Amino acid sequence: MSHVSSHSPHGQLPLRTVQVLGGGNAGSSAHVRSLASGLVARGVRVTVCAPVEAEHTYDFTGAGADHAHVPRSSDPGTVTLLRAACAEADLVHAHGLHASFRAALALSGRRTPLVVTLHDRAHAEGARAHLLRLLERRVVKAATVVLGVTSDLVDHARRSGARDARLAALTLPPARRTAEPEDPERPGLKLRAELGATGRPLLLAVGSLDRHRGYDTLLDATRAWRRLDPVPLVVIAGEGPLRGVLQRRIENEGLPVRLLGRRDDAAELLAAADLALLPSSWESRSVLAQEALHARVPLVASRVGGIPELVGDGAELVPYADAEALATAVTALLDDPGRREELKAKGARQAATWPTEDETVAQVLSIYDELTQPRPLA
């Protein structure tokens, strides 16, 4: 099915959709921006319900959508706001577990179709983990269609009671750089100097400082790299609850690691890096993995979740929580320029197999068509 022109054939009103975003991680927010742009170009009316901070960062109105400020919370006031925003919608599409829960509450008692895209698995321990499982079951049962960005997310949705769960065609829009590299031959020289990585390898990890990111394993692995000459510098871009714990370990053990906090120049950091590291316990369609392969930066990642399906043979995969395997893989890559070049080429080939933005929009629009009846003019 081709959707290249207006989605408003003679005698029909335009399809009215509402996209619901929670706090929105980088992947889901960028996806909604791309989706809004593609849908508007095809004659669909789009309202994005998201916190005002997300609008400032991703400029949904710049893509031609309307923006409705809806905070992250699930309190009755927020649900009322969302219910009002969805009043005229032909279809509501929510992204992520918490946004989908709010959308399900807002649509309670209405026959409006609800599409849910699960971009990631929620992480929690103890009593909160039980609560999350209940939330997942409530969301997938309320959804008309559940889209999972990886096969295991689709399987998980089916096990949780989804009536209709499908694999989403999902692409990551090209990273927006904050500045052009000053030297096309050696991008990031200035940035490397600022980070203290002149004349030594620069290894980059990106992501919130949470337990599931595997940074404890990464710090364990850096001990082995202290024996290398020159000693590689590991930089971690992200913020989170483990910052204090990680910083104390770095200082107490003299580890060659810098915590950079939140950064808005992840694309530049990646272009400057020699290797990208992803030591997580679970990932779906990791933004870092996609950007590393696109940018031809060799990636070393845990063999978990959706990573093997995403990267194919375009990255070096190691078992999760195995510091020795991670240390060995990185050391071997730093010692072998030929293997690094091979990974860059394989990674670029793998990235070329991922869906395009057009294919992503076309899949979503075909699902919208399937779930909505013709809308005759009054």
Side-chain angles (χ1 to χ4, degrees), residues 107-180:
L107 294 177
S108 181
R110 293 182 180 170
R111 298 175 65 86
T112 311
L114 173 62
V115 177
V116 164
T117 296
L118 298 177
H119 292 263
D120 209 340
R121 282 272 284 279
H123 300 272
E125 294 162 19
R128 188 165 150 69
H130 176 65
L131 190 65
L132 274 175
R133 299 294 86 78
L134 292 175
L135 204 62
E136 283 176 339
R137 284 201 287 275
R138 170 80 188 266
V139 162
V140 301
K141 286 177 177 175
T144 319
V145 171
V146 177
L147 295 172
V149 304
T150 62
S151 300
D152 57 343
L153 279 173
V154 174
D155 293 342
H156 184 70
R158 286 179 183 143
R159 287 195 302 271
S160 300
R163 288 171 285 169
D164 185 343
R166 313 178 192 184
L167 186 63
L170 193 71
T171 189
L172 184 73
R176 288 185 286 181
R177 296 187 181 282
T178 53
E180 286 300 308

Side-chain angles (χ1 to χ4, degrees), residues 1-364:
M1 186 188 307
S2 175
H3 296 276
V4 290
S5 58
S6 168
H7 201 72
S8 313
H10 180 67
Q12 282 188 280
L13 290 167
L15 182 67
R16 297 164 300 184
T17 71
V18 172
Q19 307 288 324
V20 184
L21 199 57
N25 63 32
S28 58
S29 300
H31 170 61
V32 169
R33 172 62 161 79
S34 167
L35 196 55
S37 179
L39 291 171
V40 167
R42 288 158 177 80
V44 177
R45 285 179 54 189
V46 178
T47 298
V48 178
C49 293
V52 71
E53 309 85 64
E55 164 62 16
H56 289 156
T57 305
Y58 291 94
D59 189 23
F60 304 116
T61 50
D66 293 320
H67 171 249
H69 170 58
V70 177
R72 288 186 66 166
S73 69
S74 293
D75 63 49
T78 298
V79 174
T80 301
L81 277 177
L82 195 52
R83 192 170 173 84
C86 296
E88 301 297 319
D90 296 306
L91 178 142
V92 174
H93 189 165
H95 300 263
L97 183 62
H98 295 284
S100 299
F101 179 63
R102 288 194 282 280
L105 290 177
L107 294 177
S108 181
R110 293 182 180 170
R111 298 175 65 86
T112 311
L114 173 62
V115 177
V116 164
T117 296
L118 298 177
H119 292 263
D120 209 340
R121 282 272 284 279
H123 300 272
E125 294 162 19
R128 188 165 150 69
H130 176 65
L131 190 65
L132 274 175
R133 299 294 86 78
L134 292 175
L135 204 62
E136 283 176 339
R137 284 201 287 275
R138 170 80 188 266
V139 162
V140 301
K141 286 177 177 175
T144 319
V145 171
V146 177
L147 295 172
V149 304
T150 62
S151 300
D152 57 343
L153 279 173
V154 174
D155 293 342
H156 184 70
R158 286 179 183 143
R159 287 195 302 271
S160 300
R163 288 171 285 169
D164 185 343
R166 313 178 192 184
L167 186 63
L170 193 71
T171 189
L172 184 73
R176 288 185 286 181
R177 296 187 181 282
T178 53
E180 286 300 308
E182 68 282 356
D183 179 353
E185 294 302 308
R186 295 289 307 279
L189 281 179
K190 184 164 174 280
L191 192 51
R192 288 176 73 105
E194 288 169 6
L195 295 170
T198 302
R200 63 194 293 202
L202 178 63
L203 316 182
L204 172 69
V206 178
S208 56
L209 306 183
D210 292 300
R211 195 154 312 279
H212 77 274
R213 296 289 184 182
Y215 293 138
D216 50 348
T217 303
L218 177 54
L219 294 194
D220 290 343
T222 65
R223 290 173 173 162
W225 304 331
R226 287 184 302 193
R227 297 193 298 268
L228 303 179
D229 182 23
V231 177
L233 174 66
V234 176
V235 295
I236 302 174
E239 197 51 85
L242 292 185
R243 185 182 182 99
V245 175
L246 296 172
Q247 190 61 51
R248 279 192 294 277
R249 271 201 65 187
I250 292 164
E251 289 168 8
N252 293 343
E253 299 172 35
L255 302 176
V257 180
R258 284 190 61 186
L259 303 181
L260 303 182
R262 279 200 183 85
R263 300 282 293 220
D264 59 5
D265 60 347
E268 285 79 12
L269 286 169
L270 188 59
D274 296 290
L275 299 179
L277 307 177
L278 189 64
S280 308
S281 65
W282 200 90
E283 291 280 351
S284 54
R285 287 186 75 88
S286 157
V287 172
L288 178 64
Q290 292 177 78
E291 291 189 339
L293 268 59
H294 273 305
R296 299 176 71 93
V297 176
L299 172 71
V300 181
S302 302
R303 189 183 289 106
V304 295
I307 293 298
E309 180 183 9
L310 178 68
V311 303
D313 65 354
E316 211 63 88
L317 299 182
V318 297
Y320 166 65
D322 188 334
E324 188 178 346
L326 177 59
T328 301
V330 167
T331 304
L333 269 180
L334 291 176
D335 283 344
D336 189 345
R339 174 63 179 152
R340 293 201 302 275
E341 289 305 313
E342 183 187 0
L343 271 186
K344 289 177 188 181
K346 286 183 172 178
R349 280 200 295 274
Q350 179 68 11
T353 69
W354 298 334
T356 63
E357 287 186 82
D358 272 353
E359 287 165 346
T360 300
V361 174
Q363 185 208 31
V364 167

